[in-house]
Amino acid sequence: MRAAQLAQAAKLLDHLQVPNQAPRHVGRLVGHDAGMLEVTGFSRPIGAGARIRAADGHPVRAEVVGFRGSRAILVPLDQDAPLENGARVEPDSAANMVQVGDGLIGRVVDAMGQPLDRKGPVIASGQWPLNGIKGNVLDRGRVLERFDVGVRAINALLTAGRGQRIAIMAGSGVGKSVLMGQMIAGAEADVIVVGLIGERGREVSDFLETKLKHQMHKSVVVAVPADHPPVLRLRAAARATAIAEYFRARGKQVLLLIDSLTRCAHAQREIGLSLGEPPAMKGYPPSALAFIPKLCERAGVDSRTGGSITAIYTVLADGDDNDDPIVDTARAIVDGHIVLSRQLSEQGIFPAIDIGKSLSRVMADIVDEAHLNAASAYRRLWAAYEENRDLILMGAYRPGNDAVIDEAVQRRQQVLGFLKQSTKAIVPADEAISTLIGEFGR
């Protein structure tokens, strides 16, 4: 009789697919301090997902961020959840996978992949690891093909390459997001992935309606405002990068934009300090600075598929300090940086790019000699004026003492005029380069 019952039960459960028949790790919530949850009996690796049964019966998502003795330290992904002592904690294997596919095109999702645009559920055709797939470093191809961004100053003087990683650095209110919008409008890309991380909630809808209005048909947006938990901000940046990696693996030319990298570092700083990490440079623990190369190194050219991720990261220079640890770390890892000047923006010059402090490390590999010489001539005039600005403005410099300075003074308005561009204008690369060679070529 018992054998027959077991056989019947086995037949009823035969259609169920159980990927892992090992015992499940079920823990209990025993501590809640400053947003950190302590759980016993939950032996899961750092970064693993979890579900906590809240007092109202709803599951609360969380992520393992560390250990304290035999207890796991978790960070909840949902705010203001009614958690109680002894709550059941279960593993969530799906938390570390990103739903990907063409169904994401034209959609706006949050850090967990849930739609924000009220267009119904996102139809995904596959999965991709949240933290990417480790590959051979030799599979990363060189940057040899020009990438047109539609901005005259960048196309001509800081020429970008397909697969390059670029940081836009500036203080608050100098025009980072506006410049990013210009680059989106003029970019030649198959897919555009935008991560709006830790910004004002109002800016999300503004970004969609103004800067992405005509590119939404090929764009994916991951948005997490500043009032969300820090772990969600980190997950949003990782999710946007994972989506870009998926399309690159399919041979697509992807433009990835993260606004901003500094907010991600601030989120990692909050988590690191809560875990007891010692603050290092200007209050940033080591994990906050280590997060930047970990994220940026995922972009680039894939020589196997021919796809690429051209990544643009905005970096907020706190107090206009270009030696800020986050700015310095980002500048050291990317393939080029664009520094915006508050002084130029106050003069009404937009985009307010400080050419002397900006650099494209791949420009020499993707432009011809005539273009390179014209760009060098422009930089020479820029540097000559900036180095002697105080003498010139005080009237202490006497014309005729230095031919380069004399030319820099005479052509100052022409140099600044080359930078100026309307936010709605798109200047193709060929036009920008021919103008540069015509005005500043030798």
Side-chain angles (χ1 to χ4, degrees), residues 152-225:
R152 179 171 51 242
I154 298 176
N155 281 336
L157 301 169
L158 303 166
T159 310
R162 197 172 295 280
Q164 185 180 4
R165 299 161 302 171
I166 306 169
I168 302 177
M169 304 172 173
S172 57
V174 183
K176 297 185 298 299
S177 297
V178 174
L179 177 58
M180 180 179 281
Q182 286 183 267
M183 297 173 76
I184 290 174
E188 297 177 345
D190 299 327
V191 179
I192 300 173
V193 182
V194 181
L196 301 177
I197 317 298
E199 298 296 331
R200 293 177 289 273
R202 174 193 61 81
E203 289 187 340
V204 175
S205 58
D206 179 75
F207 196 96
L208 296 176
E209 294 176 9
T210 59
K211 302 174 180 63
L212 268 181
K213 183 177 182 180
H214 302 294
Q215 301 282 11
M216 201 61 202
H217 64 281
K218 61 178 181 179
S219 300
V220 182
V221 179
V222 182
V224 175

Side-chain angles (χ1 to χ4, degrees), residues 7 37 48 54 103-104 314 317 321 366 378 381 440:
L37 309 179
L104 280 170
T314 64
D321 181 11
I366 56 179
Y378 184 100
L381 296 177
F440 300 94

Side-chain angles (χ1 to χ4, degrees), residues 27-300:
R28 294 292 176 182
L29 179 63
V30 296
H32 190 321
D33 182 20
M36 294 293 172
L37 309 179
E38 292 191 17
V39 178
T40 60
F42 195 74
S43 301
R44 301 289 291 174
I46 292 177
R51 292 190 305 271
I52 306 172
R53 183 65 59 181
D56 58 3
H58 290 87
V60 176
R61 296 163 298 180
E63 179 180 320
V64 180
V65 296
F67 305 100
R68 187 169 298 152
S70 61
R71 298 181 177 183
I73 308 299
L74 279 65
V75 174
L77 304 182
D78 300 324
Q79 289 182 308
D80 304 324
L83 299 176
E84 60 184 359
N85 187 31
R88 181 184 176 94
V89 182
E90 301 176 353
D92 184 8
S93 58
N96 293 326
M97 299 300 294
V98 175
Q99 303 300 314
V100 292
D102 291 337
L104 280 170
I105 302 296
R107 302 302 303 271
V108 182
V109 299
D110 63 11
M112 301 304 293
Q114 299 302 312
L116 297 174
D117 50 12
R118 300 185 180 90
K119 295 181 180 179
V122 176
I123 307 301
S125 59
Q127 291 185 329
W128 193 268
L130 181 67
N131 295 315
I133 298 175
K134 300 294 182 183
N136 191 330
V137 67
L138 296 181
D139 291 334
R140 188 63 54 84
R142 295 180 61 198
V143 179
L144 298 173
E145 185 180 350
R146 190 179 70 193
F147 184 76
D148 190 349
V149 297
V151 179
R152 179 171 51 242
I154 298 176
N155 281 336
L157 301 169
L158 303 166
T159 310
R162 197 172 295 280
Q164 185 180 4
R165 299 161 302 171
I166 306 169
I168 302 177
M169 304 172 173
S172 57
V174 183
K176 297 185 298 299
S177 297
V178 174
L179 177 58
M180 180 179 281
Q182 286 183 267
M183 297 173 76
I184 290 174
E188 297 177 345
D190 299 327
V191 179
I192 300 173
V193 182
V194 181
L196 301 177
I197 317 298
E199 298 296 331
R200 293 177 289 273
R202 174 193 61 81
E203 289 187 340
V204 175
S205 58
D206 179 75
F207 196 96
L208 296 176
E209 294 176 9
T210 59
K211 302 174 180 63
L212 268 181
K213 183 177 182 180
H214 302 294
Q215 301 282 11
M216 201 61 202
H217 64 281
K218 61 178 181 179
S219 300
V220 182
V221 179
V222 182
V224 175
D227 60 343
H228 283 55
V231 69
L232 284 183
R233 284 174 259 156
L234 296 178
R235 277 184 167 265
R239 178 174 290 273
T241 306
I243 294 171
E245 286 177 323
Y246 165 77
F247 286 110
R248 178 181 63 184
R250 298 181 63 195
K252 302 289 187 180
Q253 309 303 322
V254 183
L255 174 63
L256 171 66
L257 304 108
I258 301 293
D259 185 15
S260 74
L261 194 63
T262 304
R263 303 300 186 195
C264 297
H266 287 176
Q268 184 61 51
R269 179 175 63 179
E270 290 182 44
I271 295 174
L273 293 177
S274 297
L275 288 173
E277 277 192 73
M281 292 185 295
K282 293 191 176 181
Y284 288 100
S287 63
L289 301 181
F291 169 80
I292 295 175
K294 188 184 302 183
L295 183 70
C296 295
E297 276 297 302
R298 294 171 64 180

